[in-house]
Amino acid sequence: MSPEQILAELAARREHDLPTHGGRTLAYVYDSGLAEADEVARQALSMYASSNGLDPTAFPSLLSMEADLVGFARSILHASDEVVGTVTSGGTESILLAVQTARDAARVERPAMVVPDTIHAAFAKAAHYFGVELVTVPVGAEHRADVAAMTEVIDRLGDRVVLVAASAPSYAHGVVDPIAQLAAVTRERGLRLHVDACIGGWILPWTPGAPAWDFAVEGVTSLSVDLHKYAYTPKGVSLLLHADAGLRRPQFFAHADWPGYTMLNSTMQSTKSGGPLAAAWAVVRLIGADGYRGLVERTLAGTRALAEGIEQIEHLHLVERPDTSLVVAGTDDAVDVFTLSDLMLDRGWFVQPQMRFGDEPATLHLTISAATADSVGEFLTALREAVAEAVAAGPVRIDPALAEAAATLDPATLDDAAFDALLALAGLTGGDGAVAVPERLGPVNALVDLAPPRVREALMIAFLDRLTR
Ligand SMILES: Cc1ncc(COP(=O)(O)O)c(C=O)c1O
């Protein structure tokens, strides 16, 4: 194929993807609205796409850019000169490494970590990968970590606890956990405390009145913040910071006992493109602290307007008052959130449904970028229309037998054929019997929402397995 044909085909394939720019995709992507930042990022990304972060002696420029990014982060996170940092590929990798490091530093049998039950799923993944038990504690008022309840659990588990973690803010509810109070507990017991600021860590430094949450709090031993979220850099960049080099040491891996080069890595990847790091360096240099302050002001003003607008729409309510730039809306019985998200997509807006959790019904998650802030009025108009249409459509009707089956299935008893049948019942199979992403996800989501989390997980894994065969 010619380069022109290839680029045309890429453009055509991308047509059904969500737009990454324009502020109408309220999850997954972040848009500063600054064309200059996107352009400098693209150029830096391509300049460094083939360089290899595997060996800092071979590509010293990568090491220097990493140091610059860590230095900038230190300046906005009240970090002392003792704080050290690593650039990783994303929030999940930062969290995986924080957990692995804590586990390996402690070297206890049956390691456990204590977290609020709103903690990001990346901690469950870390627990799964590294054999650390994830002990979740129900949150208290306003969906914030319940420090007294967590303290009880920490004391009950005793020496098994290798890490305590909390969010600033949580993804699902957009509220900042009481980091200072938790730090008082962990400090007294000599425990590590990780602050997951993956989504909020580049917003909170410029948020007036934010509670103490970063290295200003004595006892915070590590912190993750993603640059590919609110630093508006291309995907593939997060920072994992440790309060000192000693705390970080078990994160590093070396292997000399084979006939090739000595493998020496600070992250999970070994060969890693310098592209995302260079692009992040470029964007952070271009926007700078004053630029980010301005972007945060606009984003928070937009978030407030959006939250106030939601409160005025009949059938909708705010689940919590947003601490930063994440809005979580609930609906009454007249409106099904899964139908509502489909109807918003019809109007060119992607909003993310979050399934029921415990006793709490499904909600809608909205991540506000600087670019979204400029079109809140348009968003609210679309939302009002979509709510009216959802009310008229009524709730998704699910065959009671199917609903009963979804709620009572035991995934452990299902074989491949049973999963095939279930995927077909759930509407995830096309006419030819092959699995496919349906045009409208509302009815599928409404059914899957009835299933307990373990069944949802098994069903989604079966779906992904077939989708990628
Ligand atoms: C609070 C929080 N932690 C961790 C993550 C995981 O980040 P990533 O998707 O970059 O792996 C996210 C992503 O939204 C997040 O919001």
Side-chain angles (χ1 to χ4, degrees):
M1 286 171 83
S2 70
E4 293 75 23
Q5 283 173 318
I6 289 166
L7 293 177
E9 176 156 345
L10 285 176
R13 286 191 185 208
R14 202 161 68 152
E15 245 168 44
H16 299 291
D17 291 355
L18 291 172
T20 56
H21 289 78
R24 297 172 80 96
T25 306
L26 282 81
Y28 307 127
V29 300
Y30 301 77
D31 182 7
S32 66
L34 303 172
E36 211 184 10
D38 294 335
E39 186 49 35
V40 78
R42 260 196 296 275
Q43 290 193 28
L45 195 59
S46 74
M47 266 175 85
Y48 274 87
S50 300
S51 68
N52 195 340
L54 165 65
D55 183 348
T57 64
F59 298 95
S61 65
L62 297 178
L63 191 64
S64 71
M65 287 188 282
E66 180 175 50
D68 286 349
L69 284 174
V70 171
F72 184 91
R74 276 209 301 231
S75 73
I76 61 169
L77 300 174
H78 301 101
S80 72
D81 291 348
E82 299 273 288
V83 170
V84 290
T86 309
V87 170
T88 74
S89 64
T92 299
E93 190 183 10
S94 290
I95 288 165
L96 290 176
L97 287 170
V99 173
Q100 170 262 316
T101 302
R103 182 200 67 175
D104 291 352
R107 294 180 184 283
V108 295
E109 271 180 38
R110 299 170 61 224
M113 56 181 150
V114 179
V115 298
D117 64 0
T118 49
I119 203 81
H120 192 276
F123 286 87
K125 187 172 182 175
H128 174 68
Y129 278 10
F130 302 129
V132 176
E133 189 184 341
L134 183 73
V135 184
T136 56
V137 180
V139 288
E142 297 176 340
H143 291 96
R144 294 180 207 275
D146 180 338
V147 178
M150 284 179 73
T151 308
E152 255 184 65
V153 173
I154 289 167
D155 288 340
R156 180 160 50 74
L157 292 169
D159 292 345
R160 288 184 57 204
V161 179
V162 299
L163 184 68
V164 176
S167 318
S170 59
Y171 184 84
H173 299 98
V175 297
V176 178
D177 285 325
I179 304 296
Q181 290 92 312
L182 261 181
V185 173
T186 54
R187 215 171 54 226
E188 202 188 338
R189 290 159 177 77
L191 291 170
R192 288 181 183 235
L193 173 64
H194 181 86
V195 176
D196 176 9
C198 281
I199 201 160
W202 228 254
I203 288 271
L204 284 165
W206 300 284
T207 299
W213 64 280
D214 60 9
F215 286 109
V217 178
E218 206 192 326
V220 169
T221 56
S222 58
L223 187 155
S224 48
V225 47
D226 297 350
L227 302 189
H228 64 199
K229 294 190 169 83
Y230 282 106
Y232 297 110
T233 76
K235 292 296 182 226
V237 197
S238 167
L239 284 169
L240 171 60
L241 303 155
H242 286 278
D244 65 52
L247 288 164
R248 179 178 65 174
R249 182 64 65 79
Q251 180 191 314
F252 291 168
F253 178 81
H255 188 74
D257 196 9
W258 74 302
Y261 60 88
T262 297
M263 191 193 242
L264 175 63
N265 299 148
S266 59
T267 62
M268 306 191 86
Q269 285 179 301
S270 189
T271 281
K272 58 183 164 188
S273 171
L277 164 60
W281 182 89
V283 171
V284 169
R285 274 287 161 109
L286 184 89
I287 297 179
D290 289 341
Y292 284 117
R293 173 172 292 108
L295 288 170
V296 170
E297 271 170 20
R298 260 175 58 210
T299 306
L300 294 181
T303 305
R304 274 191 298 275
L306 201 148
E308 282 162 19
I310 284 178
E311 280 190 306
Q312 282 159 22
I313 298 177
E314 198 190 343
H315 307 296
L316 297 189
H317 62 270
L318 290 179
V319 176
E320 291 300 347
R321 195 140 286 288
D323 279 347
T324 59
S325 52
L326 311 178
V327 175
V328 185
T331 60
D332 65 17
D333 289 345
V335 176
D336 181 279
V337 293
F338 304 111
T339 305
L340 189 55
S341 57
D342 275 355
L343 293 170
M344 285 300 279
L345 201 54
D346 290 346
R347 289 164 173 80
W349 295 92
F350 177 81
V351 295
Q352 188 180 50
Q354 304 187 126
M355 301 222 168
R356 73 177 65 200
F357 178 69
D359 297 336
E360 303 199 24
T363 54
L364 277 186
H365 172 103
L366 317 170
T367 292
I368 320 302
S369 290
T372 309
D374 298 337
S375 40
V376 166
E378 248 185 277
F379 175 86
L380 288 170
T381 302
L383 188 59
R384 272 188 293 270
E385 285 172 20
V387 167
E389 201 179 325
V391 172
V396 178
R397 265 178 284 280
I398 295 171
D399 179 340
L402 205 52
E404 165 77 16
T408 55
L409 273 176
D410 175 4
T413 62
L414 300 175
D415 59 12
D416 248 20
F419 274 116
D420 283 330
L422 275 174
L423 291 169
L425 277 177
L428 289 165
T429 338
D432 56 359
V435 297
V437 181
E439 276 283 300
R440 299 187 86 73
L441 278 167
V444 178
N445 280 334
L447 175 62
V448 174
D449 185 52
L450 295 175
R454 293 292 93 85
V455 176
R456 271 183 232 160
E457 290 158 3
L459 198 60
M460 288 303 108
I461 286 174
F463 177 61
L464 184 63
D465 167 55
R466 284 145 181 82
L467 203 57
T468 54
R469 271 183 195 178

